[in-house]
């Protein structure tokens, strides 16, 4: 764990992309045309008569008023567009690095932008902010045409970007934008007016009547009034969050309605937060500015300061949006969008509020993705893509970074040659478990979590992945570099992501842990993090949501509460034992329901139910008590058990009827789980091999084959049922007397994969130290082991691995296929690998 160190504190300016610069200079006159191109492809290996389809590539043509440029071929459309824009800039003689404006240039552009916003032309533009201007024209009295500065700050992205160039700390302190907007308005006395101490701006001269009529005609007819539900979040922790109704008339301004609920006379002193959730969302927090909001109006542009707010911090609201919210606030999904001139609105219920709260940590995101808030848990291990249910770890980590306004996580993958990983596996005689995996299980046991099966954490694969997370200012926050190897690159990425998520879950549960425990936790998950930056960017927003500080969310098994005694007899299992029982690695399918039950089971309220819910046994994918009960059941049996209440936020996020759930929570109650075990699917053979053998049995067979192939000193070899070419690939990793190798398989898909692997190995033969330097050619045949093929008669050696499922004995099949006589020098291993030395008849 890293708690300090010399970090790069310099704040970098936002860099404009080539396409953005072209748009600035040419606007709609720049036309991009992207087309798919076909590149000539090569067969993956000499002798393979199977058409190989190359990757889908794109080329972009950029047409400007004076010339047209064409990009090269790229795998992504956006890369082709950026390349075309870059070529155009080079042709125009524009240096990309020097095109970013300075702070002074950005300030002049900011003033020009404010001037344009209050122009006649902008009022008719299709822009969310222009809709606010039209609504402001409907305000009466002194408020007519008065536009709140907070609306300008949150609706115009160009203004925000310019403010970030002037002062990069705007990213952390969004209310600074208000100071720059009001300062820019003060520099335009001939066009706009702003009262001292007020956060509103209006035109000095009214809009011409024809401009107003033209803009109003663009709006469609709306209903007399709009009614939508919002959430009132009081600043006091003792007061409850409650829904409120917003009634907006067709001639009114919705911000005035929100201002009245907040105790303000109008909307001019309403402050607005960033969006919550997706970037396209209109869900925001609204709160009141002080009666006399102090703005930094000094002439020092670069060092503008955030003036202390003076009011009490609203911890509940601040945790939702990642910025400081003061006083009482309103959570609403309402506003104007790019899609039209009419107001958009959507109900925000109490349930959605509690779901927003639990989504602030990775475990909550996973629960919501499975729609199983009271049953699911973020698994402790990533086994296979097929068995993983819900959002994948990489997706959850990216979502977490977006919520906390961090940069997208950076994944640095690396691979280890097969030979090196094989030697690493052979160096141990028993299943090898990484130290970090052992620590994970030890930490999980200390916290009464589900134990991780050590057989699932075997080394000996070929990929690893490192994850890094950066703040918006590009400071490194944390990095995770596991030393565990995986067969697939995707597994390495997902497993590394899961380590970061597991650490975040454990750390955010106890942000005030001792330094010793903090260091231990970081070592368990291979995490190196910079404590000061992490607290600044993430932890400061986590002072609310009591479920974050409850052991249930972190994996501790709930105990039976005072309503029922803590006794195993209260776990009631019914039905005949079918003998089909789950085990670690099995994929289970259950039907379950969770209900609130009062003392004596006099009343019951259904919270959550799923008819078919799948999870993998032994990975911590469900709460521990549920897995413990299921482990005692067989297919077809049902069970019922009770647990103490989890955090109230989880209960309310899951509740179907929030009013009834709140009524139940006022009296002693517990949770009742009812489960039916529907199906048990055993893990596939390769997973079982990995769990029971190290190296896996399939790899042992290949190594056994290579060992005996060396003894024969043959110059040519054919592998029947070669599949994806595992044996042929291994022969390229070891020095042998072979000059020609061939493979036969009935699956074209497998042959295609084998061709790509062999071709990539053979093209590296220019390295004279390569073990495969003696092998001059590799040929793949599309055919069956049961069909005669004269082309195979001249090979010295034949192999057949893992083909014992064929109906006839393999010896008989091979002698029929190639019409050759065996010389009794065969070798076998577990009746699955057979080698033949023959002479032509």
């Amino acid at each position: 764990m890293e708690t300090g160190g010399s970090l790069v504190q310099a704040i970098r300016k936002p860099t404009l992309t080539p396409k953005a610069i072209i748009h600035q200079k040419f606007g709609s006159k720049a036309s991009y045309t992207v087309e798919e191109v076909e590149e000539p492809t090569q067969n993956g290996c000499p002798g393979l008569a199977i058409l190989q389809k190359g990757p889908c590539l794109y080329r972009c043509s950029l047409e400007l008023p004076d010339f047209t440029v064409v990009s090269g071929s790229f795998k992504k459309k956006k890369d082709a567009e950026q390349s075309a824009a870059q070529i155009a800039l080079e042709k125009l003689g524009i240096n990309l690095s020097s095109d970013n404006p300075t702070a002074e240039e950005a300030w002049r552009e900011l003033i020009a932008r404010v001037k344009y916003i209050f122009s006649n032309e902008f009022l008719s533009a299709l822009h969310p902010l222009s809709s606010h201007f039209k609504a402001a024209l409907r305000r009466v009295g002194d408020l007519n045409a008065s536009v709140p500065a907070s609306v300008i700050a949150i609706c115009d992205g160009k203004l925000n970007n310019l403010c970030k160039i002037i002062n990069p700390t705007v990213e952390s302190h969004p209310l600074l934008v208000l100071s720059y907007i009001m300062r820019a308005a003060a520099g335009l006395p001939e066009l706009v007016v702003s009262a001292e101490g007020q956060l509103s701006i209006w035109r000095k001269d009214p809009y011409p009547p024809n401009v107003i009529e033209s803009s109003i005609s663009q709006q469609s007819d709306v209903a007399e009034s709009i009614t939508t539900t919002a959430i009132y979040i009081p600043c006091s922790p003792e007061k409850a969050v409650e829904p409120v109704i917003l009634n907006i008339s067709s001639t009114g301004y919705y911000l005035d309605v929100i201002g009245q609920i907040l105790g303000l006379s109008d909307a001019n002193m309403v402050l607005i937060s960033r969006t919550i959730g997706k970037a396209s969302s209109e869900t925001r927090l609204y709160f009141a500015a002080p009666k006399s909001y102090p703005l930094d109006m000094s002439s020092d542009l670069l060092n503008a300061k955030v003036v202390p707010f003076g009011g009490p911090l609203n911890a509940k609201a601040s945790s939702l949006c990642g910025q400081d919210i003061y006083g009482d606030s309103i959570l609403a999904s309402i506003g104007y969008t790019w899609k039209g001139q009419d107001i958009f609105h959507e109900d925000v219920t109490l349930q959605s509020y509690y779901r927003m709260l639990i989504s602030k940590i990775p475990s909550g995101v996973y629960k919501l993705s499975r729609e199983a808030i009271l049953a699911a848990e973020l698994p402790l291990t990533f086994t296979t893509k097929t068995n993983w249910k819900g959002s994948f770890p990489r997706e959850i980590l990216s979502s977490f970074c977006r919520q906390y306004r961090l940069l997208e996580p950076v994944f640095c993958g690396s691979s280890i040659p097969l030979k090196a990983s094989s030697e690493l596996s052979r160096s141990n005689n028993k299943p090898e478990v990484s130290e970090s995996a052992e620590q994970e299980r030890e930490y999980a046991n200390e916290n009464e979590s589900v134990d991780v099966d050590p057989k699932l954490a075997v080394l000996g694969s070929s990929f690893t992945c490192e994850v890094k997370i950066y703040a918006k200012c590009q400071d490194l926050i944390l990095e995770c570099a596991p030393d565990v190897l995986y067969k697939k690159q995707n597994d390495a990425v997902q497993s590394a992501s899961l380590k970061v998520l597991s650490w975040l879950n454990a750390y955010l549960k106890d942000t005030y842990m001792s330094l010793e425990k903090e260091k231990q936790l970081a070592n368990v998950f291979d995490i190196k993090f910079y404590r000061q930056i992490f607290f600044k960017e993430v932890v400061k927003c986590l002072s609310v949501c009591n479920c974050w500080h409850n052991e249930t969310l972190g994996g501790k098994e709930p105990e039976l509460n005072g309503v029922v005694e803590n006794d195993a007899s209260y776990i009631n299992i019914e039905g005949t034992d079918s003998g089909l029982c789950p085990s670690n690695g099995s994929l289970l399918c259950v039907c379950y329901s969770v209900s609130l039950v009062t003392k004596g089971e006099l009343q019951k309220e259904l919270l959550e139910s799923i008819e078919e819910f799948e999870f993998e046994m032994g990975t911590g994918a469900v709460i521990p008590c549920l897995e413990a009960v299921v482990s005692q059941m067989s297919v077809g049996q049902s069970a019922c058990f009770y647990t103490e209440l989890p955090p109230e936020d989880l209960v309310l996020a899951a509740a179907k009827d929030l009013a009834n759930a709140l009524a139940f929570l006022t009296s002693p109650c517990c949770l009742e789980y009812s489960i039916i075990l529907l199906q048990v699917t055993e893990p596939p053979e390769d997973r079982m091999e990995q769990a029971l053998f190290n190296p896996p049995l399939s790899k042992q067979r290949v190594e056994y084959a290579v060992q005996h192939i060396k003894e024969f000193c043959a110059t040519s070899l054919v592998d029947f049922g070669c599949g994806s070419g595992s044996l042929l690939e291994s022969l390229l990793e070891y020095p042998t007397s072979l000059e020609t190798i061939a493979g036969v398989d009935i699956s074209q898909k497998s042959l295609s994969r084998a061709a790509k692997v062999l071709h990539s190995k053979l093209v590296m033969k220019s390295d004279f130290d390569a073990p495969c330097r003696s092998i001059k050619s590799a040929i793949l045949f599309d055919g069956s082991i049961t069909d005669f093929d004269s082309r195979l008669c001249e090979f010295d050696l034949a192999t057949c691995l893992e083909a014992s499922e064929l109906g006839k004995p393999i010896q008989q099949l091979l002698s029929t296929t190639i019409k050759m006589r065996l010389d009794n020098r065969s070798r076998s291993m577990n009746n699955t690998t057979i080698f033949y030395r023959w002479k032509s008849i």
Side-chain angles (χ1 to χ4, degrees):
M1 182 199 67
E2 185 73 26
T3 56
S6 58
L7 298 175
V8 179
Q9 298 296 336
I11 307 298
R12 297 171 176 83
K13 296 178 182 178
T15 302
L16 293 175
T17 64
K19 191 175 177 182
I21 297 173
I22 290 292
H23 179 73
Q24 280 186 348
K25 295 186 176 296
F26 296 96
S28 59
K29 296 179 181 179
S31 175
Y32 295 86
T33 303
V34 179
E35 60 178 354
E36 188 174 342
V37 296
E38 293 185 2
E39 294 288 339
T41 58
Q42 298 180 353
N43 280 338
C45 183
L48 176 65
I50 299 176
L51 292 176
Q52 299 290 295
K53 185 177 180 181
C56 187
L57 300 177
Y58 300 94
R59 182 187 298 134
C60 178
S61 173
L62 171 57
E63 183 179 351
L64 296 176
D66 298 328
F67 60 86
T68 301
V69 296
V70 179
S71 73
S73 299
F74 295 87
K75 291 183 179 181
K76 296 181 180 180
K77 293 181 181 179
K78 64 178 182 180
D79 292 341
E81 292 175 342
Q82 293 292 355
S83 176
Q86 177 66 46
I87 295 172
L89 290 177
E90 292 173 357
K91 196 167 183 177
L92 291 167
I94 298 175
N95 188 348
L96 183 63
S97 60
S98 62
D99 198 67
N100 291 335
T102 63
E104 289 73 17
E105 291 171 341
W107 172 244
R108 289 194 291 270
E109 289 186 32
L110 178 65
I111 295 176
R113 182 64 182 173
V114 173
K115 184 176 181 179
Y116 169 70
I117 286 174
F118 282 90
S119 66
N120 295 340
E121 179 185 356
F122 183 77
L123 190 64
S124 301
L126 183 60
H127 193 288
L129 186 54
S130 68
S131 298
H132 282 275
F133 276 61
K134 295 165 192 172
L137 291 173
R138 297 195 295 268
R139 302 176 79 183
V140 296
D142 296 337
L143 298 177
N144 182 257
S146 175
V147 181
S150 59
V151 166
I152 301 174
I154 60 103
C155 284
D156 194 74
K158 291 184 179 180
L159 276 177
N160 274 274
N161 290 333
L162 291 169
C163 289
K164 291 173 185 177
I165 295 173
I166 297 169
N167 187 348
T169 59
V170 166
E171 183 67 46
S172 303
H173 305 287
L175 293 182
L176 268 178
V177 177
L178 292 175
S179 295
Y180 287 113
I181 291 174
M182 297 303 293
R183 195 185 306 182
L188 297 168
E190 72 286 353
L191 178 65
V192 297
V193 178
S194 58
E196 184 177 354
Q198 296 294 315
L199 297 177
S200 60
I201 308 172
W202 61 93
R203 277 175 54 117
K204 185 175 183 180
D205 298 323
Y207 290 100
N210 62 318
V211 173
I212 296 176
E213 291 176 5
S214 175
S215 63
I216 292 177
S217 64
Q218 297 176 3
Q219 294 180 295
S220 61
D221 295 332
V222 294
E224 275 301 311
S225 64
I226 293 173
T227 301
T228 187
T229 303
I231 300 297
Y232 188 85
I233 306 176
C235 179
S236 172
E238 286 79 22
K239 294 183 179 179
V241 175
E242 58 184 13
V244 293
I245 303 299
L246 304 181
N247 291 312
I248 303 120
S249 67
S250 59
T251 58
Y253 187 27
Y254 77 89
L255 279 176
D256 285 330
V257 176
I258 292 176
Q260 291 171 7
I261 297 176
L262 291 172
L264 303 172
S265 57
D266 58 76
N268 289 344
M269 297 303 287
V270 173
L271 300 181
I272 309 173
S273 77
R274 301 160 167 163
T275 57
I276 300 173
K278 297 181 180 179
S280 59
S281 168
E282 285 301 316
T283 305
R284 302 176 186 271
L285 283 160
Y286 300 83
F287 58 107
K291 292 183 179 179
S292 180
Y293 184 62
L295 293 171
D296 183 0
M297 302 294 287
S298 63
S299 59
D300 188 357
L301 292 174
L302 297 177
N303 297 311
K305 299 178 181 178
V306 181
V307 181
F309 206 90
L313 182 70
N314 190 327
K316 296 177 184 177
S318 299
S319 67
L320 287 176
C321 64
Q323 73 178 82
D324 292 341
I325 305 295
Y326 296 89
D328 297 345
S329 66
I330 291 177
L331 176 66
S333 182
I334 188 171
Y336 296 101
T337 68
W338 289 92
K339 296 180 179 180
Q341 299 283 326
D342 298 330
I343 191 170
F344 165 85
H345 63 94
E346 194 173 42
D347 288 342
V348 179
T349 63
L350 274 175
Q351 186 188 53
S352 58
Y353 163 76
Y354 287 111
R355 291 190 170 212
M356 289 179 193
L357 281 183
I358 68 172
S359 69
K360 298 297 287 186
I361 60 169
S363 182
V365 177
Y366 181 77
K367 286 172 176 287
L368 291 172
S369 74
R370 301 226 58 194
E371 286 295 328
I373 296 173
L374 298 175
E377 271 294 351
L378 182 69
L380 297 173
T381 56
F382 183 88
T383 53
T384 66
K385 184 177 179 181
T386 304
N387 280 12
W388 184 276
K389 306 300 176 182
S391 296
F392 285 98
R394 181 172 183 172
E395 298 171 10
I396 298 174
L397 185 58
S398 296
S399 174
F400 179 87
C401 290
R402 287 191 291 269
Q403 281 207 60
Y404 289 89
R405 302 190 180 272
L406 310 174
L407 295 179
E408 286 290 315
V410 177
F411 299 91
C412 306
S414 60
S415 61
I416 295 178
L418 178 64
K419 183 177 179 180
S421 61
S422 298
E423 291 174 353
L424 180 62
S425 298
R426 290 196 303 271
S427 64
N428 299 281
N429 295 324
K430 60 181 181 178
E432 173 70 18
V433 182
S434 67
E435 180 181 357
S436 60
E438 292 178 357
Q439 290 175 326
E440 283 179 24
R441 292 198 305 280
E442 181 181 348
Y443 181 83
N445 288 333
E446 289 177 359
N447 291 272
E448 300 181 42
S449 292
V450 179
D451 195 11
V452 181
D453 189 351
K455 299 174 183 177
L456 298 179
V458 180
L459 281 172
S461 25
S462 55
F463 290 97
T464 185
C465 180
E466 180 182 6
V467 184
K468 294 183 179 180
I469 297 179
Y470 294 85
K472 283 284 188 181
C473 61
Q474 300 186 20
D475 285 335
L476 181 61
I477 295 178
L478 67 85
E479 53 189 320
C480 175
D483 57 1
V484 183
L485 302 175
Y486 297 90
K487 289 183 179 180
K488 298 179 181 179
Q489 187 174 10
N490 179 66
D491 290 353
V493 172
Q494 300 293 357
S495 297
S497 301
L498 185 56
K499 272 183 172 286
V500 177
L501 295 173
S502 300
W503 176 80
L504 287 169
N505 268 338
Y507 194 91
L508 298 180
K509 182 182 65 176
D510 184 13
T511 55
Y512 299 103
M513 67 178 67
S514 65
L515 289 177
E516 181 181 354
K517 186 177 180 181
E518 189 177 275
K519 184 176 181 179
Q520 177 193 4
L521 183 64
N523 290 335
V524 165
F525 295 104
D526 300 313
I527 297 291
K528 178 181 179 182
F529 79 106
Y530 299 90
R531 193 171 187 270
Q532 185 176 359
I533 302 174
F534 181 74
F535 264 73
K536 175 185 174 184
E537 300 292 338
V538 179
V539 178
K540 72 173 186 177
C541 300
L542 299 177
S543 58
V544 67
C545 189
N546 58 13
C547 67
W548 293 340
H549 304 283
N550 185 284
E551 299 293 331
T552 302
L553 201 60
K556 182 178 179 180
E557 182 176 356
E559 298 178 355
L560 303 179
N561 65 6
V563 178
V564 289
E565 297 180 8
N566 189 2
D567 193 301
S569 62
Y570 285 94
I571 301 175
N572 183 24
I573 298 178
E574 297 180 348
T576 305
D577 187 352
S578 63
L580 298 175
C581 301
S583 59
N584 280 354
S586 302
L587 187 64
L588 310 188
C589 182
V590 301
C591 170
Y592 82 90
S593 64
V594 187
S595 303
L596 272 174
V597 181
T598 58
K599 185 177 181 180
E601 300 187 49
L602 297 177
Q603 291 180 306
K604 182 185 295 188
E605 174 67 22
L606 179 64
L607 297 177
E608 181 177 285
S609 63
I610 297 181
E611 291 186 1
E612 292 184 357
F613 180 76
E614 290 186 317
F615 66 94
E616 185 175 0
M617 190 78 170
T619 61
V622 293
I623 59 174
C625 54
L626 191 152
E627 186 170 63
V629 172
V630 172
S631 66
Q632 305 174 43
M633 301 169 61
S634 63
V635 173
Q637 288 186 323
S638 62
C640 180
F641 65 95
Y642 301 86
T643 71
E644 66 177 0
L645 287 178
E648 185 176 294
D649 292 344
L650 289 178
V651 174
L652 297 178
K656 299 180 183 296
D657 189 326
L658 210 64
N660 285 349
L662 286 170
F664 268 76
L665 292 174
T666 59
S667 58
C669 56
C670 64
L671 289 187
E672 178 192 75
Y673 284 79
S674 298
I675 312 170
I676 301 175
L677 181 56
L678 302 176
Q679 185 177 349
V680 174
T681 305
E682 292 301 325
E685 183 179 351
D686 59 343
R687 289 274 311 283
M688 294 296 290
E689 281 190 12
Q690 186 181 14
L692 298 174
F693 299 95
N694 183 57
L697 195 56
S698 57
K699 183 171 290 188
Q700 290 186 42
R701 293 190 183 108
V702 170
E703 293 176 354
Y704 178 89
V706 172
Q707 176 186 348
H708 288 283
I709 287 170
K710 289 181 181 180
E711 298 176 3
F712 287 117
C713 299
T715 59
S716 60
L717 175 144
V718 58
D719 182 24
F720 290 95
C722 65
S724 299
S726 58
L727 174 61
L728 300 178
E729 180 186 5
S730 298
L731 291 173
L732 299 181
E733 299 285 344
Y734 297 91
T736 65
S737 59
L738 293 173
E739 296 179 1
T740 301
I741 57 176
V744 180
D745 203 277
I746 200 172
S747 169
Q748 290 196 3
K749 185 176 181 181
S750 296
L751 287 173
S752 297
R753 288 197 294 263
K756 293 177 183 178
V757 173
L758 295 176
H759 180 66
S760 64
K761 296 280 186 181
L762 288 171
V763 295
M764 298 172 63
K765 281 174 53 178
S766 57
D767 182 0
F768 291 103
D769 295 328
C772 64
R773 61 185 179 274
S774 64
I775 297 179
K776 299 177 181 179
S777 64
I779 308 172
L780 297 179
F781 296 97
D782 178 15
S784 170
I785 192 174
T786 61
D787 298 329
F788 170 73
D789 193 330
S790 60
R791 293 175 297 175
L792 305 178
C793 293
E794 300 302 322
F795 284 88
D796 297 333
L797 199 63
T799 59
C800 189
L801 278 70
E802 300 179 336
S804 59
E805 69 276 4
L806 293 170
K808 299 180 181 180
I810 297 177
Q811 281 194 2
Q812 180 183 350
L813 281 169
L814 284 177
S815 60
T816 302
T817 302
I818 57 181
K819 304 292 185 182
M820 294 183 176
R821 181 176 63 250
L822 306 177
D823 68 354
N824 298 321
R825 292 187 59 191
S826 62
R827 300 283 193 273
S828 65
M829 176 185 177
N830 297 332
N831 296 321
T832 58
T833 307
I834 301 178
F835 308 90
Y836 302 91
R837 178 79 173 187
W838 61 74
K839 299 176 182 178
S840 300
I841 297 176

